[in-house]
Amino acid sequence: METLLLRAALAPSLVLLASVVARRLGPRRGGQLLGAPTSTGPFLALTWLAAGPAKVAEAAHGTVTGTLVVACFCLAYARFAPARRPAWTLARALLCAAAAGLVGTLCGTVWLTAGLALTVIVTGLLTWPEADPDGRRTSPARAWEVPVRMLLSGVTVAGALAAGAALGPFVGGVLSSVPVLLSVMGTSVHRTAGAAAAVEMMRGALTSAAGTLAFLLVLCTAPTRLDPVTAFVLALVALAAADSLLRLGITRAARRSRELPGFLT
């Protein structure tokens, strides 16, 4: 019950924070916040305290599958957004995310699921299209929009976690990682700021997904050997290292693509 209440309260708070960050620092920064383990981290910590290390490892396995879902959602939304309206873009992205969730669930090991997620992340970022300014008129955000986003995200996350609690830690981990917040924020940004801004938000979330994946893999393997504090510290170190390595690799690849015509095209 404590986990359910925390996640139900945390989701609206993250939507509010991401809205402020996106407005002040741009949609990519807002996406980076949503792609980080800002919600799965507390979920796994409470799972550890309530059910022990074995259950948190199983839940972390589920969140790795959820990371694959998020990565495919971001990539699909970014591909469809320039040519589709927000509702149609969301429907197609959710369909791709559902297919990814099925594939991840059928994978035999967490490492295979993680390998698929990393492949999607790296391939997506290396082949990310150049920014295309959105020439369509955009509508201003309404005063009631942020509260509605917060309410929608809280209700959806609470429902997903209640279902996950009844179906076990793995399913709970998958449902705790579904791109609810990205769905809410992405379509809202798409409508109010245009497709280009929504694409930038998805790019930010996809960039953060690599660090989130490293964070989760540590928690899949470390709980039975380490105390909670040490395990989460190591997970955060892995997150920072993976995030830095990915950014460095993408930067070098982009520089090389400019030096070598036809590279990555």
Side-chain angles (χ1 to χ4, degrees):
M1 179 61 69
E2 291 82 359
T3 301
L4 178 62
L5 292 176
L6 175 64
R7 289 299 307 280
L10 185 59
S13 301
L14 288 174
V15 166
L16 177 61
L17 181 57
S19 300
V20 173
V21 170
R23 186 178 303 169
R24 297 289 180 86
L25 302 178
R28 186 181 298 189
R29 296 295 185 187
Q32 288 173 351
L33 175 64
L34 295 177
T38 45
S39 57
T40 53
F43 164 72
L44 293 173
L46 284 181
T47 300
W48 193 323
L49 294 175
K55 294 297 184 183
V56 85
E58 188 177 349
H61 184 180
T63 57
V64 169
T65 301
T67 303
L68 173 62
V69 171
V70 168
C72 291
F73 175 87
C74 292
L75 193 57
Y77 199 102
R79 291 294 189 267
F80 291 125
R84 302 287 177 182
R85 293 182 179 274
W88 284 106
T89 302
L90 178 62
R92 291 167 184 251
L94 288 175
L95 184 62
C96 293
L102 178 61
V103 171
T105 302
L106 294 177
C107 287
T109 68
V110 65
W111 298 106
L112 178 57
T113 307
L116 289 174
L118 185 61
T119 299
V120 172
I121 293 167
V122 174
T123 303
L125 290 173
L126 287 176
T127 59
W128 201 267
E130 293 293 331
D132 183 18
D134 195 342
R136 293 177 299 174
R137 293 183 60 186
T138 59
S139 56
R142 300 178 178 89
W144 51 263
E145 191 160 315
V146 171
V148 169
R149 294 179 201 170
M150 296 170 66
L151 177 62
L152 178 61
S153 63
V155 171
T156 306
V157 168
L161 286 177
L167 297 174
F170 176 83
V171 176
V174 175
L175 293 177
S176 75
S177 304
V178 295
V180 173
L181 303 185
L182 278 170
S183 298
V184 173
M185 286 295 301
T187 52
S188 178
V189 168
H190 191 171
R191 185 188 66 79
T192 59
V199 169
E200 282 298 289
M201 176 166 280
M202 296 303 154
R203 183 174 185 176
L206 191 62
T207 302
S208 294
T212 298
L213 186 61
F215 176 89
L216 296 173
L217 285 174
V218 170
L219 294 181
C220 279
T221 57
T224 57
R225 303 178 181 87
L226 301 172
D227 62 275
V229 174
T230 303
F232 274 86
V233 168
L234 287 178
L236 289 172
V237 170
L239 183 153
D243 188 68
S244 298
L245 288 173
L246 179 69
R247 292 174 189 275
L248 180 61
I250 296 300
T251 300
R252 289 184 174 178
R255 186 181 302 119
R256 187 177 178 186
S257 68
R258 289 192 295 267
E259 295 172 353
L260 297 176
F263 184 72
L264 296 178
T265 60

